[in-house]
Coordinates of all heavy atoms in Angstrom, one line a residue:
M126 N 105.6 109.5 37.5 CA 104.7 109.5 36.4 C 103.7 110.7 36.4 O 103.1 110.9 37.4 CB 103.9 108.2 36.4 CG 102.7 108.1 35.5 SD 101.9 106.5 35.7 CE 100.2 107.0 35.2
T127 N 103.7 111.4 35.4 CA 102.8 112.6 35.3 C 101.5 112.3 34.5 O 101.6 111.8 33.4 CB 103.5 113.8 34.6 OG1 104.8 113.9 35.3 CG2 102.7 115.0 34.7
I128 N 100.4 112.6 35.1 CA 99.1 112.4 34.4 C 98.6 113.7 34.0 O 98.6 114.7 34.8 CB 98.1 111.7 35.4 CG1 98.7 110.3 35.9 CG2 96.8 111.5 34.7 CD1 98.0 109.8 37.1
T129 N 98.2 113.8 32.8 CA 97.7 115.1 32.3 C 96.2 114.9 31.9 O 95.8 113.8 31.4 CB 98.5 115.6 31.1 OG1 98.6 114.6 30.1 CG2 99.9 116.0 31.5
C130 N 95.5 116.0 32.0 CA 94.1 116.0 31.6 C 94.0 115.9 30.0 O 94.7 116.6 29.3 CB 93.5 117.3 32.0 SG 91.8 117.5 31.4
P131 N 93.2 114.9 29.6 CA 93.0 114.7 28.1 C 92.3 115.9 27.5 O 92.3 116.1 26.2 CB 92.2 113.4 28.0 CG 91.6 113.3 29.3 CD 92.4 113.9 30.3
I132 N 91.7 116.7 28.2 CA 90.9 117.9 27.7 C 91.7 119.1 27.6 O 91.9 119.8 26.6 CB 89.6 118.1 28.5 CG1 88.7 116.9 28.5 CG2 88.8 119.3 28.0 CD1 88.2 116.4 27.2
C133 N 92.3 119.5 28.8 CA 93.0 120.8 28.9 C 94.5 120.7 29.1 O 95.2 121.7 29.3 CB 92.3 121.7 29.9 SG 92.6 121.1 31.6
Q134 N 94.9 119.5 29.2 CA 96.4 119.2 29.4 C 96.9 119.6 30.7 O 98.1 119.7 30.9 CB 97.2 119.8 28.2 CG 96.7 119.5 26.8 CD 96.5 118.1 26.5 OE1 97.3 117.2 26.9 NE2 95.4 117.7 25.9
S135 N 96.1 119.9 31.6 CA 96.5 120.4 33.0 C 97.2 119.2 33.7 O 96.8 118.0 33.5 CB 95.3 120.9 33.8 OG 95.7 121.0 35.1
T136 N 98.1 119.5 34.5 CA 98.7 118.5 35.4 C 98.2 118.5 36.8 O 98.7 117.7 37.7 CB 100.3 118.6 35.4 OG1 100.6 119.9 35.8 CG2 100.9 118.3 34.0
Q137 N 97.2 119.3 37.0 CA 96.6 119.4 38.3 C 95.5 118.3 38.4 O 94.3 118.5 38.3 CB 95.9 120.7 38.6 CG 96.9 121.9 38.5 CD 98.0 121.8 39.6 OE1 97.7 121.7 40.8 NE2 99.2 121.8 39.2
I138 N 96.0 117.0 38.6 CA 95.1 115.9 38.6 C 94.9 115.3 40.0 O 95.9 115.1 40.7 CB 95.6 114.8 37.6 CG1 95.8 115.4 36.2 CG2 94.7 113.6 37.6 CD1 94.6 116.0 35.6
R139 N 93.7 115.0 40.3 CA 93.4 114.4 41.6 C 93.0 113.0 41.4 O 92.2 112.6 40.6 CB 92.2 115.2 42.3 CG 91.9 114.8 43.7 CD 90.9 115.8 44.3 NE 89.7 115.9 43.4 CZ 88.6 115.1 43.6 NH1 88.5 114.2 44.5 NH2 87.5 115.3 42.8
S140 N 93.6 112.1 42.3 CA 93.2 110.7 42.2 C 92.1 110.4 43.2 O 92.3 110.8 44.4 CB 94.5 109.8 42.6 OG 94.1 108.5 42.8
K141 N 91.1 109.8 42.8 CA 89.9 109.6 43.7 C 90.0 108.4 44.6 O 89.5 108.4 45.7 CB 88.6 109.6 42.8 CG 88.3 110.9 42.2 CD 86.9 110.9 41.6 CE 87.0 110.4 40.2 NZ 85.7 110.6 39.4
D142 N 90.6 107.3 44.0 CA 90.8 106.1 44.8 C 89.5 105.6 45.4 O 89.5 105.1 46.5 CB 91.8 106.3 45.9 CG 93.2 106.3 45.3 OD1 93.4 105.9 44.2 OD2 94.1 106.9 46.0
F143 N 88.4 105.8 44.7 CA 87.1 105.5 45.3 C 87.0 104.0 45.5 O 86.5 103.5 46.5 CB 86.0 105.9 44.3 CG 84.6 105.6 44.7 CD1 84.0 106.2 45.8 CD2 83.9 104.5 44.1 CE1 82.7 105.8 46.2 CE2 82.6 104.2 44.5 CZ 82.0 104.8 45.6
G144 N 87.4 103.2 44.5 CA 87.3 101.7 44.6 C 88.1 101.1 45.7 O 87.7 100.2 46.4
R145 N 89.3 101.7 45.8 CA 90.3 101.2 46.9 C 89.6 101.4 48.3 O 89.7 100.5 49.1 CB 91.6 102.0 46.8 CG 92.7 101.3 47.5 CD 94.0 101.9 47.1 NE 94.1 101.8 45.6 CZ 94.9 102.6 44.8 NH1 95.6 103.5 45.4 NH2 94.9 102.4 43.6
K146 N 89.1 102.6 48.5 CA 88.5 102.9 49.8 C 87.3 102.0 50.0 O 87.1 101.4 51.1 CB 88.2 104.3 49.9 CG 89.4 105.2 50.1 CD 89.0 106.7 49.9 CE 90.3 107.5 49.8 NZ 89.9 108.8 49.1
T147 N 86.4 101.9 49.0 CA 85.2 101.2 49.1 C 85.5 99.7 49.3 O 84.9 99.0 50.2 CB 84.3 101.4 47.9 OG1 84.1 102.8 47.7 CG2 82.9 100.7 48.1
G148 N 86.5 99.2 48.5 CA 86.8 97.8 48.6 C 87.4 97.4 50.0 O 87.0 96.4 50.5
G149 N 88.2 98.3 50.6 CA 88.7 98.1 51.9 C 87.6 98.0 52.9 O 87.6 97.1 53.8
T150 N 86.7 98.9 52.8 CA 85.6 98.9 53.8 C 84.7 97.7 53.7 O 84.4 97.0 54.7 CB 84.7 100.2 53.6 OG1 85.5 101.3 53.6 CG2 83.6 100.3 54.7
I151 N 84.3 97.4 52.4 CA 83.5 96.2 52.2 C 84.2 94.9 52.6 O 83.6 94.1 53.3 CB 83.1 96.1 50.7 CG1 82.1 97.3 50.4 CG2 82.4 94.8 50.4 CD1 81.8 97.4 48.9
G152 N 85.5 94.9 52.3 CA 86.3 93.7 52.7 C 86.3 93.5 54.2 O 86.3 92.4 54.7
T153 N 86.5 94.6 54.9 CA 86.5 94.6 56.4 C 85.2 94.0 56.9 O 85.2 93.1 57.8 CB 86.8 96.0 57.0 OG1 88.0 96.5 56.4 CG2 86.9 95.9 58.5
I154 N 84.1 94.5 56.4 CA 82.8 94.1 56.9 C 82.6 92.7 56.6 O 82.1 91.9 57.4 CB 81.7 95.0 56.3 CG1 81.9 96.4 56.8 CG2 80.3 94.5 56.6 CD1 81.0 97.5 56.1
A155 N 82.8 92.3 55.3 CA 82.6 90.9 54.9 C 83.5 89.9 55.7 O 83.0 88.9 56.1 CB 82.9 90.8 53.4
G156 N 84.7 90.3 55.8 CA 85.7 89.5 56.6 C 85.3 89.3 58.0 O 85.3 88.2 58.6
A157 N 84.8 90.4 58.7 CA 84.4 90.3 60.1 C 83.2 89.5 60.2 O 83.1 88.7 61.1 CB 84.1 91.7 60.6
A158 N 82.2 89.6 59.3 CA 81.0 88.8 59.3 C 81.3 87.4 59.2 O 80.8 86.5 59.9 CB 80.0 89.3 58.2
T159 N 82.1 87.0 58.2 CA 82.5 85.6 58.0 C 83.2 85.1 59.2 O 83.0 83.9 59.6 CB 83.4 85.5 56.7 OG1 82.8 86.2 55.6 CG2 83.7 84.1 56.4
G160 N 84.2 85.8 59.7 CA 84.9 85.4 60.9 C 84.0 85.2 62.1 O 84.2 84.2 62.8
A161 N 83.1 86.1 62.3 CA 82.1 85.9 63.4 C 81.3 84.7 63.3 O 81.1 83.9 64.2 CB 81.2 87.2 63.5
E162 N 80.9 84.4 62.1 CA 80.0 83.2 61.8 C 80.8 82.0 62.1 O 80.3 81.0 62.7 CB 79.6 83.3 60.3 CG 78.1 82.9 60.2 CD 77.6 83.3 58.8 OE1 77.7 82.5 57.9 OE2 77.1 84.4 58.7
A163 N 82.1 81.9 61.6 CA 82.9 80.8 61.8 C 83.2 80.6 63.3 O 83.2 79.5 63.8 CB 84.2 81.0 61.0
G164 N 83.4 81.7 64.0 CA 83.6 81.6 65.4 C 82.4 81.1 66.1 O 82.6 80.2 67.0
M165 N 81.2 81.4 65.7 CA 80.0 80.9 66.4 C 79.9 79.4 66.1 O 79.6 78.7 67.0 CB 78.8 81.7 65.8 CG 78.7 83.1 66.1 SD 78.4 83.4 67.9 CE 78.2 85.2 67.9
A166 N 80.1 79.0 64.9 CA 80.0 77.6 64.6 C 81.1 76.8 65.3 O 80.9 75.6 65.6 CB 80.2 77.4 63.0
A167 N 82.2 77.4 65.5 CA 83.3 76.6 66.2 C 83.2 76.5 67.7 O 84.1 75.9 68.3 CB 84.7 77.3 65.8
G168 N 82.1 77.0 68.2 CA 82.0 77.0 69.7 C 80.8 76.2 70.1 O 79.8 76.7 70.6
P169 N 80.8 74.8 69.8 CA 79.6 74.0 70.2 C 79.4 73.8 71.7 O 78.3 73.7 72.2 CB 79.9 72.7 69.4 CG 81.4 72.6 69.3 CD 81.9 74.1 69.3
V170 N 80.5 73.7 72.4 CA 80.5 73.5 73.8 C 80.6 74.9 74.5 O 81.6 75.6 74.2 CB 81.6 72.5 74.3 CG1 81.4 72.3 75.8 CG2 81.5 71.2 73.6
G171 N 79.8 75.2 75.4 CA 79.8 76.5 76.0 C 79.6 77.5 75.0 O 80.5 78.4 74.7
A172 N 78.5 77.4 74.3 CA 78.3 78.3 73.1 C 78.5 79.8 73.3 O 79.0 80.5 72.5 CB 76.8 78.0 72.6
I173 N 78.1 80.2 74.5 CA 78.2 81.7 74.7 C 79.7 82.1 74.8 O 80.1 83.0 74.1 CB 77.4 82.0 76.0 CG1 76.0 81.8 75.8 CG2 77.7 83.5 76.4 CD1 75.1 82.0 77.1
V174 N 80.4 81.5 75.7 CA 81.8 81.8 75.8 C 82.6 81.6 74.6 O 83.3 82.4 74.0 CB 82.5 81.1 77.0 CG1 84.0 81.4 77.1 CG2 81.8 81.4 78.3
G175 N 82.4 80.3 74.0 CA 83.1 80.0 72.8 C 82.7 80.8 71.6 O 83.6 81.2 70.8
G176 N 81.5 81.1 71.6 CA 81.0 82.0 70.5 C 81.6 83.4 70.5 O 82.0 83.9 69.5
I177 N 81.5 84.0 71.7 CA 82.1 85.3 71.8 C 83.5 85.4 71.5 O 84.0 86.2 70.7 CB 81.8 85.9 73.2 CG1 80.3 86.1 73.4 CG2 82.5 87.2 73.4 CD1 79.8 86.5 74.8
A178 N 84.3 84.4 72.1 CA 85.8 84.4 71.9 C 86.0 84.2 70.4 O 86.9 84.8 69.8 CB 86.4 83.3 72.7
G179 N 85.3 83.2 69.8 CA 85.5 82.9 68.4 C 85.1 84.1 67.5 O 85.8 84.4 66.5
A180 N 84.1 84.7 67.9 CA 83.6 85.9 67.1 C 84.7 87.0 67.1 O 85.0 87.6 66.1 CB 82.3 86.4 67.6
L181 N 85.2 87.3 68.3 CA 86.2 88.3 68.4 C 87.4 88.0 67.6 O 87.9 88.8 66.8 CB 86.6 88.5 69.9 CG 85.6 89.3 70.8 CD1 86.0 89.3 72.2 CD2 85.4 90.7 70.3
L182 N 87.9 86.8 67.8 CA 89.1 86.3 67.1 C 88.9 86.3 65.6 O 89.7 86.8 64.8 CB 89.5 84.9 67.6 CG 91.0 84.6 67.5 CD1 91.8 85.4 68.5 CD2 91.2 83.1 67.8
G183 N 87.7 85.8 65.2 CA 87.4 85.7 63.8 C 87.2 87.1 63.2 O 87.7 87.3 62.0
S184 N 86.6 88.0 63.9 CA 86.5 89.4 63.4 C 87.8 90.0 63.1 O 88.0 90.7 62.1 CB 85.7 90.2 64.4 OG 84.4 89.6 64.7
L185 N 88.7 89.8 64.1 CA 90.1 90.4 63.9 C 90.8 89.9 62.7 O 91.2 90.6 61.9 CB 90.9 90.2 65.2 CG 90.4 91.0 66.4 CD1 91.2 90.6 67.7 CD2 90.6 92.5 66.2
C186 N 90.9 88.5 62.7 CA 91.6 87.9 61.6 C 90.9 88.1 60.3 O 91.4 88.5 59.3 CB 91.8 86.4 61.8 SG 92.7 86.1 63.3
G187 N 89.6 87.8 60.3 CA 88.8 87.9 59.0 C 88.7 89.3 58.5 O 88.8 89.6 57.3
G188 N 88.6 90.3 59.5 CA 88.5 91.7 59.1 C 89.8 92.1 58.4 O 89.7 92.8 57.3
A189 N 90.9 91.8 58.9 CA 92.2 92.2 58.4 C 92.4 91.6 57.0 O 92.8 92.3 56.1 CB 93.3 91.8 59.3
A190 N 92.1 90.3 56.9 CA 92.3 89.6 55.6 C 91.3 90.2 54.6 O 91.7 90.4 53.4 CB 92.1 88.1 55.8
G191 N 90.1 90.4 55.0 CA 89.1 91.0 54.1 C 89.5 92.4 53.6 O 89.3 92.7 52.4
A192 N 90.0 93.2 54.5 CA 90.4 94.5 54.1 C 91.5 94.5 53.1 O 91.5 95.3 52.1 CB 90.8 95.3 55.4
A193 N 92.5 93.6 53.3 CA 93.6 93.5 52.4 C 93.1 93.1 51.0 O 93.5 93.7 50.0 CB 94.7 92.6 52.9
A194 N 92.3 92.1 51.0 CA 91.7 91.6 49.7 C 90.9 92.6 49.0 O 91.0 92.9 47.8 CB 90.9 90.3 49.9
G195 N 90.1 93.3 49.8 CA 89.2 94.3 49.3 C 89.9 95.5 48.7 O 89.6 96.0 47.7
S196 N 91.0 95.9 49.4 CA 91.8 97.0 48.9 C 92.5 96.7 47.6 O 92.5 97.5 46.6 CB 92.9 97.4 49.9 OG 92.3 97.9 51.1
R197 N 93.0 95.4 47.5 CA 93.6 95.0 46.3 C 92.7 95.0 45.1 O 92.9 95.5 44.1 CB 94.2 93.6 46.5 CG 95.6 93.4 45.9 CD 96.4 92.2 46.4 NE 95.6 91.2 47.0 CZ 95.8 90.8 48.2 NH1 96.8 91.3 48.9 NH2 95.2 89.8 48.7
F198 N 91.5 94.4 45.4 CA 90.5 94.4 44.4 C 90.0 95.8 44.0 O 89.9 96.1 42.8 CB 89.3 93.6 44.9 CG 88.1 93.6 43.9 CD1 88.1 92.9 42.8 CD2 87.0 94.4 44.2 CE1 87.1 92.9 41.9 CE2 85.9 94.4 43.3 CZ 85.9 93.7 42.2
G199 N 89.9 96.6 45.0 CA 89.4 98.0 44.7 C 90.4 98.8 43.9 O 90.0 99.6 43.0
S200 N 91.7 98.6 44.1 CA 92.7 99.3 43.3 C 92.7 98.9 41.9 O 93.0 99.6 40.9 CB 94.1 99.2 43.9 OG 94.5 97.9 44.0
V201 N 92.4 97.6 41.6 CA 92.3 97.1 40.3 C 91.1 97.8 39.6 O 91.1 98.2 38.5 CB 92.1 95.6 40.2 CG1 91.8 95.1 38.8 CG2 93.4 94.9 40.7
V202 N 90.0 97.9 40.3 CA 88.8 98.5 39.8 C 89.1 100.0 39.5 O 88.8 100.5 38.5 CB 87.6 98.5 40.8 CG1 86.4 99.3 40.4 CG2 87.2 97.0 41.0
D203 N 89.8 100.6 40.4 CA 90.2 102.0 40.2 C 91.0 102.2 38.9 O 90.7 103.1 38.1 CB 91.2 102.5 41.4 CG 90.4 102.9 42.6 OD1 89.2 103.3 42.4 OD2 90.9 102.9 43.7
D204 N 92.0 101.3 38.7 CA 92.8 101.5 37.6 C 92.2 101.2 36.2 O 92.5 101.7 35.2 CB 94.1 100.6 37.7 CG 95.1 101.2 38.7 OD1 94.9 102.4 39.1 OD2 96.0 100.5 39.2
H205 N 91.3 100.2 36.3 CA 90.7 99.7 35.0 C 89.3 100.0 34.7 O 88.9 100.0 33.5 CB 90.9 98.2 35.0 CG 92.4 97.7 35.0 ND1 93.2 97.8 33.9 CD2 93.1 97.3 36.0 CE1 94.4 97.4 34.3 NE2 94.4 97.1 35.6
V206 N 88.5 100.3 35.7 CA 87.1 100.5 35.5 C 86.6 101.9 35.7 O 86.0 102.5 34.8 CB 86.3 99.5 36.3 CG1 84.8 99.7 36.1 CG2 86.7 98.1 36.1
L207 N 86.9 102.4 36.9 CA 86.4 103.7 37.2 C 87.2 104.8 36.6 O 88.4 104.7 36.2 CB 86.4 103.9 38.7 CG 85.6 102.9 39.5 CD1 85.8 103.1 41.0 CD2 84.1 103.0 39.2
N208 N 86.6 106.0 36.5 CA 87.3 107.2 36.1 C 88.0 107.7 37.4 O 87.4 108.5 38.1 CB 86.4 108.2 35.5 CG 85.9 107.8 34.2 OD1 86.6 107.1 33.4 ND2 84.7 108.3 33.8
N209 N 89.2 107.2 37.6 CA 89.8 107.4 38.9 C 90.4 108.8 39.1 O 90.7 109.2 40.1 CB 90.9 106.3 39.2 CG 91.4 106.4 40.6 OD1 90.6 106.6 41.5 ND2 92.6 106.1 40.8
Y210 N 90.6 109.5 38.0 CA 91.3 110.8 38.0 C 90.4 111.9 37.6 O 89.5 111.8 36.7 CB 92.5 110.7 37.1 CG 93.5 109.7 37.5 CD1 93.5 108.4 36.9 CD2 94.4 109.9 38.6 CE1 94.4 107.5 37.3 CE2 95.3 109.0 39.0 CZ 95.3 107.7 38.4 OH 96.1 106.8 38.8
A211 N 90.5 113.0 38.3 CA 89.7 114.2 38.0 C 90.6 115.4 37.9 O 91.5 115.6 38.6 CB 88.7 114.4 39.2
C212 N 90.3 116.1 36.8 CA 91.1 117.4 36.5 C 90.6 118.5 37.5 O 89.5 118.7 37.6 CB 90.9 117.8 35.1 SG 91.8 119.3 34.7
L213 N 91.6 119.1 38.2 CA 91.2 120.2 39.1 C 91.0 121.5 38.3 O 90.4 122.4 38.9 CB 92.3 120.4 40.1 CG 92.6 119.2 41.0 CD1 93.8 119.6 42.0 CD2 91.4 118.9 41.9
D214 N 91.4 121.5 37.1 CA 91.2 122.8 36.3 C 89.8 122.8 35.6 O 89.1 123.8 35.7 CB 92.3 123.0 35.3 CG 93.6 123.5 36.0 OD1 93.5 124.1 37.1 OD2 94.7 123.2 35.5
C215 N 89.5 121.7 34.9 CA 88.2 121.7 34.2 C 87.2 120.7 34.7 O 86.1 120.7 34.3 CB 88.5 121.5 32.7 SG 88.9 119.7 32.3
G216 N 87.6 119.9 35.7 CA 86.6 119.0 36.3 C 86.4 117.8 35.6 O 85.5 117.0 36.0
Y217 N 87.1 117.5 34.5 CA 86.9 116.3 33.7 C 87.4 115.1 34.5 O 88.5 115.1 35.0 CB 87.6 116.4 32.4 CG 87.4 115.3 31.5 CD1 86.2 115.0 30.9 CD2 88.4 114.4 31.2 CE1 86.0 114.0 30.0 CE2 88.3 113.3 30.3 CZ 87.1 113.1 29.7 OH 86.9 112.1 28.9
S218 N 86.6 114.0 34.5 CA 87.0 112.7 35.1 C 87.4 111.8 34.1 O 86.7 111.6 33.0 CB 85.8 112.1 35.9 OG 85.6 112.9 37.1
F219 N 88.5 111.1 34.3 CA 89.0 110.1 33.3 C 89.7 109.0 33.9 O 90.1 109.0 35.1 CB 89.8 110.8 32.3 CG 91.0 111.5 32.9 CD1 92.3 110.9 32.8 CD2 90.9 112.8 33.5 CE1 93.4 111.5 33.4 CE2 92.0 113.4 34.0 CZ 93.2 112.8 34.0
S220 N 89.9 107.9 33.2 CA 90.7 106.8 33.6 C 92.1 106.8 33.0 O 92.3 107.3 31.9 CB 89.9 105.5 33.2 OG 90.8 104.4 33.3
R221 N 93.0 106.3 33.8 CA 94.4 106.3 33.3 C 94.6 105.5 32.0 O 95.4 105.8 31.2 CB 95.3 105.7 34.4 CG 96.8 105.8 34.1 CD 97.6 105.8 35.3 NE 97.2 104.8 36.3 CZ 98.0 103.8 36.8 NH1 99.2 103.8 36.5 NH2 97.5 103.0 37.7
H222 N 93.7 104.4 31.9 CA 93.8 103.6 30.7 C 92.9 104.0 29.6 O 92.7 103.3 28.7 CB 93.6 102.1 31.1 CG 94.6 101.6 32.1 ND1 95.8 101.1 31.7 CD2 94.6 101.6 33.4 CE1 96.5 100.7 32.8 NE2 95.8 101.0 33.8
H223 N 92.4 105.2 29.8 CA 91.5 105.8 28.7 C 92.3 106.0 27.5 O 93.4 106.5 27.5 CB 90.9 107.1 29.3 CG 89.8 107.6 28.5 ND1 89.9 108.4 27.4 CD2 88.5 107.3 28.7 CE1 88.7 108.6 27.0 NE2 87.8 108.0 27.7
C224 N 91.8 105.7 26.3 CA 92.5 106.0 25.1 C 91.5 106.0 23.9 O 91.1 106.8 23.4 CB 93.5 105.0 24.7 SG 92.9 103.3 24.5
Ligands
ZN308 ZN1 91.2 119.5 32.5

């Protein structure tokens, strides 16, 4: 699929993927925080050992799930909301669904 600049018709188009990257990062942080919290709550006996183990495990699982969800959400934002494409010739930013 070839994307052309709506202004100068150049095919030198750069995809910014800003939402995808941001979504993945936010998802990782949110997932890790949620996982850590769940891990803490799940360790009532021996709170220190249980909490640390739970937090580690929760961070790993929650972080991965969060990153996947965040990236998916971010790419939707990229495609539909943000001006995800930038023309390298004239610098114009536009969205693929722009019309
Ligand atoms: Zn252009």
Side-chain angles (χ1 to χ4, degrees):
M126 168 179 152
T127 306
I128 301 164
T129 53
C130 174
I132 301 299
C133 68
Q134 314 304 320
S135 168
T136 53
Q137 300 298 305
I138 304 301
R139 184 171 56 93
S140 167
K141 289 188 277 192
D142 288 337
F143 178 74
R145 195 165 306 154
K146 287 169 191 159
T147 309
T150 305
I151 291 173
T153 303
I154 294 168
T159 307
E162 222 164 89
M165 290 296 185
V170 184
I173 295 174
V174 176
I177 291 173
L181 282 175
L182 207 66
S184 303
L185 289 174
C186 299
S196 296
R197 218 164 22 238
F198 174 73
S200 61
V201 171
V202 172
D203 278 338
D204 283 347
H205 296 281
V206 180
L207 299 176
N208 290 330
N209 191 37
Y210 299 98
C212 175
L213 295 178
D214 284 335
C215 72
Y217 182 71
S218 286
F219 57 100
S220 164
R221 185 155 43 128
H222 297 275
H223 195 272
C224 59

